[in-house]
Amino acid sequence: MNAPAVAASREGALLSITGVVQGVGFRPFVHRLAMRHGLSGWVLNSAGDVQVHVEGARQSIDDFAHALAAEAPPLARIESLDRTACEVDGLEGFTIRESHDDPDRRQPVSPDVAMCAACEAELNDPSNRRYRYPFITCTDCGPRYTVIDAMPYDRERTSMRAFTQCPECLREYQTPGDRRYHSETNSCPACGPRLSLVPPFHMVERGPGGEAHVVEKRSGGEAGGVERGSEEPIDEAARLLVDGKIVAVRGLGGFQLAVDATNESAVRRLRIRKRREAKPFALMVRTVAEARALASVSWAEEEALASRERPIVLLRKRADAPLAPSIAPGLDSVGIMIAYTPLHHLLLERAGRPLVMTSGNVSDEPIAIENADAQRRLRDIADAFLLHDREIVARYDDSVVRFANDAPVFLRRARGYAPLPIDLPVPTPVPLVAVGPHLKNTFTVAHGRWAFVSQHIGDLENLETLEHFQAALEAYKRLFRVEPEVVVRDLHPGYLSSRVAEELGVARIIGVQHHHAHVAAVLAEHGIREPAVGLAFDGTGYGEDGNVWGAEVLVADLAAYRRVAQLRYAPLPGGDLAARSPWRVALGYLSLEPEAAGAFAAAFEGVPERERSIASQQIVQHLNAPLASSMGRLFDAAAAILGVRRLAQYEGQAAMELEALAGRHAAEPLPFPVRENGRGAWVLDPLPLLFALGERRLAGSGAAELAARFHESIAAASADVALRAAAAADTRLVALGGGCFQNARLLVSVRARLEGQGITVLVPRRLSPNDGAVSYGQAAVAAARLQRDLVL
Ligand SMILES: [Zn+2]
Ligand SMILES: [Zn+2]
Ligand SMILES: [Zn+2]
């Protein structure tokens, strides 16, 4: 064949690539690829995409374009690749050009990801110039979202701009083919961020005459802080940890509090100082093998543990695990993550044991990110501070995931996942902000089909969390260039989020019912626009009738819903207080059927008579005793009646303990009847179930067996009512949402019962079943309504 004449002619092509293509080593990758295919031209970051101009033989350009998609760097996510022919400029060589900006374009930002294997090898190589350098990164790994101020992604728009690259780093940065070619976070011990270890400020107490006494001096040694860019602060911090001390570590997206996980008195001291009575602490280890020594790890769990996202994975604790009992009291699970930064690796290696690695905050406040703020807020908790001088731009909690039959269930979505966008099946015709729920808040900023769901923000109950919310929202609006024309909020008039929505100064506000948002979030995540049955089981959500909803069966699409079944209403004496006192919930149910008093007796053991009589009065007089149909509270009532828990130290504790108690033993359901309410809807009546639990407990049945039967009763009744609703609505789709579906036993059982009847069950995949998904659901509902209004 004599084709050389064709092959020799030069052609030009302009390629535009969208998706996560900035901050992930994409330009260097394009450069390498162009060199390999003998093409000349340039690549640049623009605000909306990466643009590539190549010149060369037709076949080479084809191969190049194919390889762009097929061999993209690990962190890249290509959404589209457009190619158009263009003029041949006769360019020599291939260059990376200056970024240019287009204020109307937007594009995703990469999450932070764990240290890659190549960097880890260098970290442990004594001959490497970055040996034991705690901020080692490359184009494939390290911080991104937590250092980026604005797009396009270049060092000058990140918190790395404070560190000027030394000649050697600069050479890597400028050398095509180097792993750190155009790596914007590139640094080394000579030019990068530095660590220091400092003691907390001394606590001073003034006497009556104003004289000062240093009452406590917890410190990392008399010599004061070790402030060097070397590894010494890590050695010293590790020594303190081994000594049972608490060290506040400035990590990737905020401070963490570290303590020896095998030292019970140290863990207990952390609980007391942090004012966190019982809520489980997460652990950090270096390897999957170390995790296996503490918990059983399935292949799916191993994959998640070792993934570059490195979430905390909730694992089944081994009975012989050498862990302090106070880490997760009353639970059979333990949350473990694998070290994800070089700093964590070095610290764990030196400490030589698993460490508790919990958020650096006091009770429900957001985590601290700035050195001075942490030193102020955590001074009564930490014995020393391991600091660094690279500013954290965004607060970024650890993500938490658990597995239900090898399928991941998010409990918290933050580091490693946010702020990647999630598609909206119905694109929003105008930019919008959905401010999310009251508890476990996230917000969503949406433009077109892109929904940028924020990382976990927290409970909007204090000023600090509200400020975190506002700062993060400003950052999202800036990064993704969204100026909202619509604000979406919950229906509850009293929530802080509702006030925030009003204060955004946007004229158009759309209200979305909480449980509709839950169901819409699941439908939207699966790209479903048609109506489906939705089970929304959670603690609390404001109902359209003014009551507290929380065990709702809806027939819903993205724009609208009908409530077709609910849990029977019962008064909730004390309102929000009841979420922390399961006995009050039991009392509310008892008021519906006073003759059950004997069976319910265990719920009130140890409850002061006076408190009980006040709660009874509240019920009788309808004072602060709202009617509730809450599945979360039903779990509380059952826990109280079984004598498992009458007072909760954190929300959801009773339910988590019931799940742990139930284990995986097979169990038969107890009676949990479904009846029609005469208005075309069904009511699930839990009183026979609660009564049976109490009676059997009195008769000597074990709490574990009854906890298992309770779970199966809920699952069977839910599946039953979902099937009836699906038949009536002529659908085979059932979506499961709401915080109760974090309960793996309940989720697995409901799912199996429905799938056994030929139903397609939709469960949350990329978002949590809990309120962390509500803002995305709100955005999906608002987008669908806005779109519908355009059509009408
Ligand atoms: Zn790397
Ligand atoms: Zn350097
Ligand atoms: Zn909810």
Side-chain angles (χ1 to χ4, degrees):
M1 302 277 280
N2 48 358
V6 178
S9 76
R10 283 171 74 83
E11 292 190 13
L14 192 64
L15 296 105
S16 157
I17 304 118
T18 66
V20 181
V21 287
Q22 290 189 23
V24 294
F26 203 79
R27 289 173 304 170
F29 157 72
V30 170
H31 185 279
R32 280 196 302 278
L33 219 54
M35 302 306 272
R36 195 214 292 168
H37 290 93
L39 300 171
S40 59
W42 48 258
V43 55
L44 65 77
N45 277 348
S46 90
D49 56 7
V50 166
Q51 291 174 12
V52 185
H53 174 102
V54 281
E55 299 180 358
R58 173 66 184 256
Q59 186 61 49
S60 302
I61 295 178
D62 288 348
D63 293 347
F64 169 82
H66 177 76
L68 267 185
E71 300 172 25
L75 299 188
R77 289 171 196 231
I78 295 181
E79 295 219 338
S80 69
L81 198 161
D82 287 349
R83 173 178 168 179
T84 48
C86 70
E87 292 291 308
V88 174
D89 294 340
L91 297 169
E92 300 258 329
F94 195 89
T95 53
I96 295 184
R97 288 198 174 171
E98 283 283 296
S99 301
H100 77 66
D101 199 3
D102 176 351
D104 289 334
R105 306 287 298 273
R106 57 192 53 76
Q107 67 154 281
V109 172
S110 173
D112 294 22
V113 292
M115 177 169 64
C116 71
C119 285
E120 188 174 350
E122 290 181 351
L123 184 73
N124 296 321
D125 174 6
S127 70
N128 191 283
R129 71 190 189 93
R130 291 192 179 85
Y131 177 55
R132 300 189 65 77
Y133 174 56
F135 301 95
I136 190 168
T137 66
C138 71
T139 47
D140 289 342
C141 75
R144 291 294 184 278
Y145 172 60
T146 60
V147 296
I148 295 177
D149 278 318
M151 293 297 271
Y153 176 63
D154 279 310
R155 194 172 180 115
E156 75 222 40
R157 282 178 288 274
T158 73
S159 60
M160 285 302 293
R161 67 178 163 265
F163 307 95
T164 307
Q165 293 186 81
C166 68
E168 248 182 301
C169 285
L170 195 60
R171 195 173 44 72
E172 294 167 336
Y173 184 85
Q174 292 171 337
T175 304
D178 193 284
R179 223 172 80 245
R180 297 192 170 87
Y181 183 47
H182 274 266
S183 165
E184 306 296 357
T185 53
N186 195 28
S187 68
C188 76
C191 66
R194 285 168 183 248
L195 286 178
S196 56
L197 186 78
V198 299
F201 299 138
H202 298 165
M203 295 173 59
V204 174
E205 192 173 82
R206 301 238 168 242
E211 72 278 17
H213 304 287
V214 176
V215 288
E216 203 172 351
K217 190 181 176 224
R218 297 191 233 105
S219 84
E222 292 301 315
V226 182
E227 302 195 35
R228 290 272 309 280
S230 70
E231 63 190 79
E232 285 130 60
I234 289 181
D235 293 348
E236 179 64 6
R239 197 188 61 71
L240 290 172
L241 288 167
V242 170
D243 224 28
K245 299 288 195 292
I246 299 166
V247 178
V249 180
R250 193 183 203 196
L252 198 58
F255 274 81
Q256 292 164 314
L257 289 161
V259 75
D260 178 356
T262 64
N263 183 334
E264 172 66 8
S265 69
V267 175
R268 238 194 257 165
R269 198 162 55 247
L270 176 59
R271 282 213 177 277
I272 292 164
R273 289 191 193 165
K274 198 171 145 63
R275 278 180 262 149
R276 179 151 151 161
E277 285 177 278
K279 211 170 170 183
F281 283 139
L283 308 183
M284 187 184 269
V285 295
R286 280 181 77 211
T287 61
V288 172
E290 286 177 20
R292 282 194 194 286
L294 308 176
S296 69
V297 181
S298 73
W299 69 266
E301 289 164 342
E302 172 169 350
E303 203 168 46
L305 278 171
S307 69
R308 57 176 173 258
E309 291 84 6
R310 298 277 159 96
I312 295 169
V313 183
L314 226 54
L315 300 168
R316 183 165 287 254
K317 191 161 55 183
R318 286 174 61 130
D320 59 351
L323 291 174
S326 294
I327 283 172
L331 302 178
D332 61 347
S333 60
V334 59
I336 299 183
M337 65 187 136
I338 308 280
Y340 49 87
T341 69
L343 172 59
H344 289 126
H345 272 271
L346 295 170
L347 189 62
L348 279 159
E349 186 210 35
R350 281 293 194 256
R353 63 202 62 206
L355 297 176
V356 165
M357 200 60 80
T358 187
S359 42
N361 58 3
V362 185
S363 56
D364 295 326
E365 291 178 1
I367 48 173
I369 55 173
E370 287 166 0
N371 287 340
D373 183 46
Q375 285 173 292
R376 182 178 57 78
R377 279 165 55 196
L378 306 177
R379 70 179 168 201
D380 295 337
I381 302 178
D383 297 305
F385 289 81
L386 185 57
L387 306 177
H388 64 70
D389 55 358
R390 183 184 71 213
E391 289 312 310
I392 297 172
V393 175
R395 188 177 268 121
Y396 206 39
D397 290 81
D398 293 317
S399 294
V400 187
V401 71
R402 76 180 300 188
F403 282 80
N405 273 4
D406 289 340
V409 180
F410 274 92
L411 309 188
R412 185 164 75 200
R413 177 182 178 271
R415 179 179 52 75
Y417 303 95
L420 285 178
I422 298 176
D423 271 5
L424 289 172
V426 178
T428 177
V430 295
L432 61 84
V433 168
V435 297
H438 184 56
L439 300 175
K440 294 191 171 66
N441 178 276
T442 65
F443 59 81
T444 293
V445 167
H447 190 286
R449 66 184 173 82
W450 272 348
F452 297 96
V453 184
S454 78
Q455 70 271 33
H456 168 80
I457 301 290
D459 298 345
L460 290 181
E461 292 192 312
N462 55 54
L463 191 63
E464 290 80 4
T465 311
L466 184 64
E467 284 169 0
H468 172 24
F469 175 98
Q470 283 162 335
L473 180 56
E474 280 312 309
Y476 270 62
K477 283 163 61 182
R478 187 176 66 243
L479 279 176
F480 305 119
R481 298 160 189 230
V482 174
E483 205 39 65
E485 292 173 31
V486 168
V487 173
V488 195
R489 48 160 272 197
D490 192 76
L491 296 180
H492 197 301
Y495 281 172
L496 208 48
S497 59
S498 301
R499 213 184 75 201
V500 168
E502 262 130 50
E503 285 170 359
L504 284 172
V506 174
R508 182 149 188 204
I509 296 182
I510 294 178
V512 175
Q513 201 280 325
H514 183 91
H515 301 94
H516 184 208
H518 269 304
V519 173
V522 183
L523 296 179
E525 217 198 309
H526 287 267
I528 305 284
R529 296 157 172 243
E530 65 202 85
V533 172
L535 302 187
F537 292 174
D538 64 2
T540 306
Y542 187 77
E544 304 247 19
D545 58 3
N547 294 326
V548 177
W549 291 11
E552 313 308 317
V553 182
L554 313 179
V555 171
D557 62 12
L558 295 175
Y561 77 95
R562 267 184 308 124
R563 188 191 197 198
V564 296
Q566 64 165 98
L567 193 66
R568 181 179 173 187
Y569 280 132
L572 210 52
D576 288 344
L577 196 60
R580 292 285 174 96
S581 33
W583 70 265
R584 285 176 206 271
V585 189
L587 192 69
Y589 277 114
L590 182 56
S591 74
L592 300 178
E593 208 153 300
E595 57 272 30
F600 279 35
F604 312 109
E605 272 170 33
V607 173
E609 190 45 50
R610 195 181 134 67
E611 281 192 44
R612 186 174 167 182
S613 101
I614 292 173
S616 297
Q617 283 304 310
Q618 288 174 323
I619 295 171
V620 173
Q621 297 172 1
H622 305 289
L623 280 173
N624 196 20
L627 290 178
S629 58
S630 162
M631 185 60 79
R633 296 298 84 80
L634 179 59
F635 270 80
D636 289 345
I641 289 165
L642 290 176
V644 172
R645 182 153 294 278
R646 299 168 190 91
L647 278 175
Q649 293 153 302
Y650 55 93
E651 213 225 335
Q653 184 182 20
M656 285 167 73
E657 288 176 343
L658 270 192
E659 185 190 356
L661 203 55
R664 295 173 185 185
H665 307 294
E668 285 302 310
L670 292 162
F672 189 1
V674 178
R675 52 179 170 74
E676 286 193 56
N677 70 354
R679 295 186 303 278
W682 294 284
V683 175
L684 288 143
D685 185 359
L687 275 156
L689 169 59
L690 294 174
F691 187 75
L693 289 178
E695 286 279 280
R696 283 164 192 268
R697 186 79 182 110
L698 286 176
S701 293
E705 180 210 323
L706 292 173
R709 297 191 71 174
F710 173 72
H711 276 79
E712 293 316 305
S713 312
I714 307 273
S718 314
D720 174 27
V721 78
L723 284 169
R724 295 193 206 194
D730 198 20
T731 173
R732 303 303 287 164
L733 288 176
V734 175
L736 308 181
C740 295
F741 287 111
Q742 295 173 123
N743 181 319
R745 174 156 191 155
L746 182 67
L747 178 68
V748 167
S749 183
V750 172
R751 190 173 182 164
R753 287 167 192 274
L754 289 170
E755 286 176 345
Q757 300 297 315
I759 293 286
T760 299
V761 179
L762 307 171
V763 298
R765 289 181 304 201
R766 295 177 66 187
L767 293 168
S768 175
N770 73 28
D771 284 6
V774 163
S775 68
Y776 173 67
Q778 290 174 339
V781 170
R785 286 192 194 154
L786 290 164
Q787 196 63 255
R788 182 192 61 192
D789 294 350
L790 282 184
V791 174
L792 290 178

